[in-house]
Amino acid sequence: MNKKVSSVLAIAVCVFAISCGDSKAPDANPVEDNEEAVVHEVEVIEGDFDEPEFIIPSALQISAMFKNSGLSYIDGITNNPEKVSDYNSKFEKLLNFGVYSGDLFYCILNDQSQMSIKYLKAVRQLADETRMSGIFNTGPLFERFETNIGNKDSVFNIMLEFQEKTDMLIAENNEEHTAMVIFAGAWIEGMYIGLDAANNSGNDNLKARLAEQMGIVENLIKGLQFQPNRSDETAAIEGKYQAILDYFLSIKGVKGADKYSYDETALADADWKKLYEMVRDLRSEITKS
Amino acid sequence: MRNLFLALALLCTALSIQAQTVRNSCKWDEEVKKKCKRDLKPFHYYAFKITKITFNSKSQFKEVEVPLFHDANYRFVFNTEGLHQDVKIEIYDKPASNSSRRKVYDGTSHERHFVYDPPKNATHNRIYIDYIIPASNNSDANVIDKGCVIFYSGFKN
């Protein structure tokens, strides 16, 4: 009985304290002092963890750089857009959101209109399935893309807008960890296509741009480690990106004057081949192909 | 008796929740978006980041690494309207851990909205944005001040 009385009393004291607290809350500027109200206005959601302190580069710019370095279109090298339903976990879907984004940019830059539409559909499906449908819902992005498909400059600008909307949606919802996974997928697809071409063509300009991309991998791995619900699956994938970086950095003479400078001429043909194989194997695992 | 302790613990938690109010000045609305987009032209969109700041009793330091690529020029647009208190913004060619780094920009959030085009010769493959955050000037320990810096960037080949 005594226990019951003490509990009831204590709960009553708590309720009283809470109601007293309300009356003592600063009321000079109720909007500014009310976090919920301010957050709603700003539309930036507060998370429980800090965001990583680096910027993820634009996958579209990377594709454009490869294209400017002489990367031409290779029929059939991209991931089949009909495989879009093969990805089950959110992690798989996000990685392949990135892969298909990379394929989409590659097709656009190479005037592959019909393939571009297929990849945009695949990206839209994965966006819907990963709660990122807002990218396509804030304006007729898909319709504008189809209407302008013959106009390369317009389509490029629409893709810049797509990238911008994705980044903003992610930042506003405190989902930076999501962006890291998408970028990891886009990066592996871009490198796979680029390395395949470099191995077959011996294009030195493209090789220089591919080596430059290795400077991104360290942050890409940090981004994967930043995932809030890391599983064995994420750790295994992360380990494979690390192995690619470790192999690249182990090549004699590749390290340049500063941390992210590399001398691509230090890579022998066998090194390029090995790098390609490592990237190809990881890409096969991610895309299930 | 055990229940009494539990209830007292609940009471303390309730009181501590009540004691702290968060004042978040972070601003990322349509007006700021429009300003950033307008000032980015003629550069193409490259990257975007909201750096969130929580002021506390000690000064803080945040460094953001920005990757840059060969053959491209970049534009950075900063908007600091979402800061309740000023912070220093410095841009370097190398990270804080490198003693030979060179400062390429020095400013404060007092400017509220500004554009910086890093010169090609000052940047190689990375640039580092340092936010030097002073201790909170808010004397009310019951109020936590938060804010943010908007970083919006573009590229041009």
Side-chain angles (χ1 to χ4, degrees), chain A residues 221 223-236 238-239:
Chain A
I221 294 163
L224 291 176
Q225 288 168 345
F226 176 66
Q227 301 308 303
N229 300 310
R230 287 179 71 214
S231 61
D232 292 345
E233 183 193 12
T234 51
E238 192 186 295

Side-chain angles (χ1 to χ4, degrees), chain A residues 5-257:
Chain A
V5 169
S6 63
S7 297
V8 170
L9 274 173
I11 290 164
V13 169
C14 281
V15 171
F16 176 72
I18 290 166
S19 56
C20 286
D22 280 341
S23 70
K24 285 175 188 169
D27 57 2
N29 187 347
V31 173
E32 197 169 70
D33 287 349
N34 181 327
E35 187 185 24
E36 198 178 310
V38 174
V39 168
H40 177 71
E41 181 189 315
V42 169
E43 293 177 348
V44 176
I45 295 170
E46 287 289 317
D48 293 333
F49 41 86
D50 283 338
E51 70 270 34
E53 299 303 329
F54 51 83
I55 302 283
I56 304 173
S58 156
L60 179 55
Q61 191 202 358
I62 295 171
S63 297
M65 276 190 327
F66 285 171
K67 171 74 180 161
N68 291 341
S69 303
L71 176 62
S72 55
Y73 186 71
I74 306 160
D75 193 25
I77 198 167
T78 49
N79 190 28
N80 185 347
E82 286 169 17
K83 286 174 63 60
V84 68
S85 300
D86 291 359
Y87 310 116
N88 303 314
S89 68
K90 187 176 180 189
F91 186 67
E92 282 181 4
K93 287 176 196 287
L94 290 172
L95 276 173
N96 284 284
F97 181 114
V99 168
Y100 283 133
S101 299
D103 289 336
L104 171 63
F105 301 151
Y106 178 61
C107 287
I108 287 169
L109 293 166
N110 286 284
D111 302 315
Q112 300 296 314
S113 306
Q114 291 314 309
M115 285 306 285
S116 303
I117 291 173
K118 285 182 184 174
Y119 283 116
L120 190 60
K121 280 183 181 164
V123 167
R124 185 169 67 171
Q125 182 177 328
L126 291 176
D128 285 343
E129 290 172 4
T130 51
R131 291 186 296 165
M132 292 206 294
S133 49
I135 301 163
F136 293 93
N137 291 346
T138 51
L141 193 137
F142 192 85
E143 292 72 15
R144 281 173 51 217
F145 184 89
E146 281 189 311
T147 308
N148 288 282
I149 196 69
N151 185 332
K152 197 171 174 177
D153 287 345
S154 298
V155 169
F156 186 77
N157 285 329
I158 294 168
M159 281 303 97
L160 286 167
E161 200 182 310
F162 160 74
Q163 177 112 44
E164 190 177 351
K165 279 185 176 175
T166 307
D167 291 353
M168 282 181 189
L169 187 79
I170 281 167
E172 286 166 3
N173 290 292
N174 205 42
E175 290 269 342
E176 278 85 355
H177 54 280
T178 297
M180 305 294 169
V181 184
I182 296 172
F183 180 72
W187 186 88
I188 203 77
E189 187 70 348
M191 288 298 282
Y192 167 66
I193 297 170
L195 284 164
D196 182 273
N199 271 312
N200 291 318
S201 68
N203 179 335
D204 290 339
N205 207 4
L206 179 59
K207 283 180 175 175
R209 301 287 72 78
L210 288 162
E212 188 179 37
Q213 287 304 308
M214 295 307 295
I216 304 293
V217 190
E218 192 181 309
N219 281 346
L220 187 157
I221 294 163
K222 277 187 205 163
L224 291 176
Q225 288 168 345
F226 176 66
Q227 301 308 303
N229 300 310
R230 287 179 71 214
S231 61
D232 292 345
E233 183 193 12
T234 51
I237 292 285
E238 192 186 295
K240 286 170 186 169
Y241 281 99
Q242 185 67 57
I244 292 169
L245 179 61
D246 289 346
Y247 173 72
F248 180 77
L249 294 177
S250 73
I251 297 166
K252 200 176 169 191
V254 79
K255 289 182 191 169

Side-chain angles (χ1 to χ4, degrees), chain B residues 16-149:
Chain B
S16 66
I17 288 167
Q18 284 304 303
Q20 291 199 316
T21 306
V22 175
R23 183 164 53 189
N24 194 343
S25 312
C26 185
K27 191 176 176 199
W28 176 237
D29 56 15
E30 285 307 316
E31 184 199 343
V32 176
K33 276 181 197 175
K34 270 185 194 164
K35 272 192 216 174
C36 291
K37 274 176 182 282
R38 181 197 65 205
D39 289 342
L40 202 64
K41 286 177 185 170
F43 288 70
H44 295 305
Y45 170 77
Y46 174 61
F48 165 78
K49 186 170 177 68
I50 301 174
T51 298
K52 294 168 200 141
I53 292 170
T54 301
F55 292 93
N56 61 35
S57 58
K58 290 180 181 170
S59 57
Q60 303 167 64
F61 173 79
K62 277 194 180 213
E63 186 165 77
V64 178
E65 183 181 310
V66 186
L68 307 175
F69 297 116
H70 175 83
D71 274 356
N73 289 298
Y74 292 87
R75 167 166 289 183
F76 299 166
V77 180
F78 291 89
N79 187 289
T80 58
E81 291 172 38
L83 280 178
H84 184 260
Q85 188 180 334
D86 281 339
V87 304
K88 267 185 79 87
I89 300 172
E90 294 175 351
I91 302 179
Y92 291 88
D93 62 340
K94 291 187 173 68
S97 55
N98 190 318
S99 58
S100 67
R101 69 181 185 153
R102 198 160 52 89
K103 194 190 285 184
V104 294
Y105 178 82
D106 192 351
T108 79
S109 61
H110 188 67
E111 294 173 69
R112 312 312 275 169
H113 183 92
F114 59 94
V115 174
Y116 173 68
D117 292 345
K120 198 84 188 112
N121 62 358
T123 59
H124 184 37
N125 46 34
R126 288 290 187 284
I127 211 159
Y128 296 83
I129 305 167
D130 289 2
Y131 298 115
I132 299 141
I133 306 153
S136 175
N137 59 14
N138 171 20
S139 55
D140 185 351
N142 294 335
V143 176
I144 298 170
D145 273 322
K146 290 188 176 188
C148 65
V149 178

